[in-house]
Amino acid sequence: MIIRSMLFPIAALACVPAQAHDGASPVRRVAAANRSATEQPAAQGFINATQVYAFSEGMIFQAYTAPGAVTDIALQPGEALVAVASGDTARWVIGDTTSGSGDTRRTHILVKPFNAGLVTNLVITTDRRTYHLRLASTARTPMAAISWTYPQDELLSLKRQAEVARSAAPIAAGLDVGQLRFDYDLSGDRPAWRPLRAFDDGQKTYIEFPSGLSQGEAPPLFVLGADGKAELANYRVRERYYIVDRLFDAAELRLGLKKQQVVRITRGARAKHRRGA
């Protein structure tokens, strides 16, 4: 009985509604969140008569309309419309059309209120994202058009461009093709990551792997000393190449613990002779 009397107040406290702690009802919290998430037109956001918002997931974008005028809500070029839903379809005319063709084809949602003083919401779903808008009708000040920029898409595009530039760049700046030596032998196991070839320019050694090499299966490189002892080499990865800032007579690529796969790279006798090794 003593234990029960001690536990009961704790259980009762757990059932106290959240508003008792923060002083706000759930409805007020929802209203506050909606206000905070609503993006209003900004003077610097206009390009001519079009308000250009920066798209962000979960934001509510304000659209002001007026009776007798159509407000154009333009989606991203190439974006495919899935559905449009509004909280009030009785007092608003909502339709859609397209402009352009091919990659420049663009969907436009057209909205027009019957009267001033109306407020409702609009949800647009596409194959790329979901738009949330708040529609408000004024007496005679409609927004001509709304569109968006897409910062996340632009960031991804910049990353892709950087990756393309890196892949197109030579593996080493200033590499003298006439100084390259390919007299290296590969032996040992034949895993999927087995190098295609190894070569050097007299200062650095380059190990070329198949194009499917991923970071998850990239084997570490060990240089073998004159006494046969292996030492982890310093190298950097550039696309599908290992670049080792030294020459070596023998090295091994090793991957795995219990059943280790080993590929040995040996500098050929002709290469040694050319370098006086």
Side-chain angles (χ1 to χ4, degrees), residues 228-248:
K229 292 183 178 180
E231 179 183 347
L232 186 63
N234 291 321
Y235 61 92
R236 59 188 182 277
V237 181
R238 178 73 179 273
E239 300 302 329
R240 55 196 180 98
Y241 290 86
Y242 282 9
I243 303 176
V244 189
D245 291 323
R246 56 167 291 184
L247 304 180
F248 55 76

Side-chain angles (χ1 to χ4, degrees), residues 22-198:
D22 62 16
S25 69
V27 172
R28 287 182 179 177
R29 289 197 295 274
V30 170
N34 286 345
R35 283 194 302 271
S36 178
T38 300
E39 186 76 16
Q40 294 288 344
Q44 65 270 23
F46 279 99
I47 298 179
N48 297 323
T50 300
Q51 171 68 200
V52 181
Y53 289 117
F55 183 84
S56 180
E57 193 71 36
M59 292 295 292
I60 301 172
F61 302 97
Q62 180 69 57
Y64 291 103
T65 64
V70 171
T71 296
D72 173 18
I73 301 170
L75 306 185
Q76 188 178 31
E79 191 170 18
L81 180 65
V82 175
V84 179
S86 174
D88 183 356
T89 56
R91 296 179 296 176
W92 293 78
V93 177
I94 301 172
D96 64 89
T97 187
T98 60
S99 64
S101 61
D103 293 339
T104 63
R105 183 181 176 88
R106 194 170 194 178
T107 298
H108 302 260
I109 309 300
L110 309 177
V111 298
K112 182 177 72 171
F114 284 134
N115 304 301
L118 303 178
V119 176
T120 190
N121 72 316
L122 186 70
V123 179
I124 305 169
T125 59
T126 74
D127 61 340
R128 298 178 183 175
R129 58 186 62 86
T130 300
Y131 300 84
H132 296 271
L133 292 97
R134 181 180 184 272
L135 306 180
S137 61
T138 65
R140 51 181 180 273
T141 312
M143 296 171 70
I146 294 172
S147 67
W148 286 267
T149 58
Y150 302 89
Q152 278 193 323
D153 288 12
E154 292 165 7
L155 180 60
L156 289 173
S157 177
L158 288 174
K159 286 182 177 179
R160 283 195 293 267
Q161 291 174 22
E163 289 171 1
V164 170
R166 282 196 301 270
S167 63
I171 60 171
L175 192 65
D176 186 354
V177 177
Q179 293 296 319
L180 297 184
R181 299 292 182 265
F182 293 87
D183 191 17
Y184 284 81
D185 298 321
L186 301 177
S187 60
D189 296 323
R190 293 185 172 273
W193 49 261
R194 182 184 172 99
L196 301 176
R197 63 183 63 85

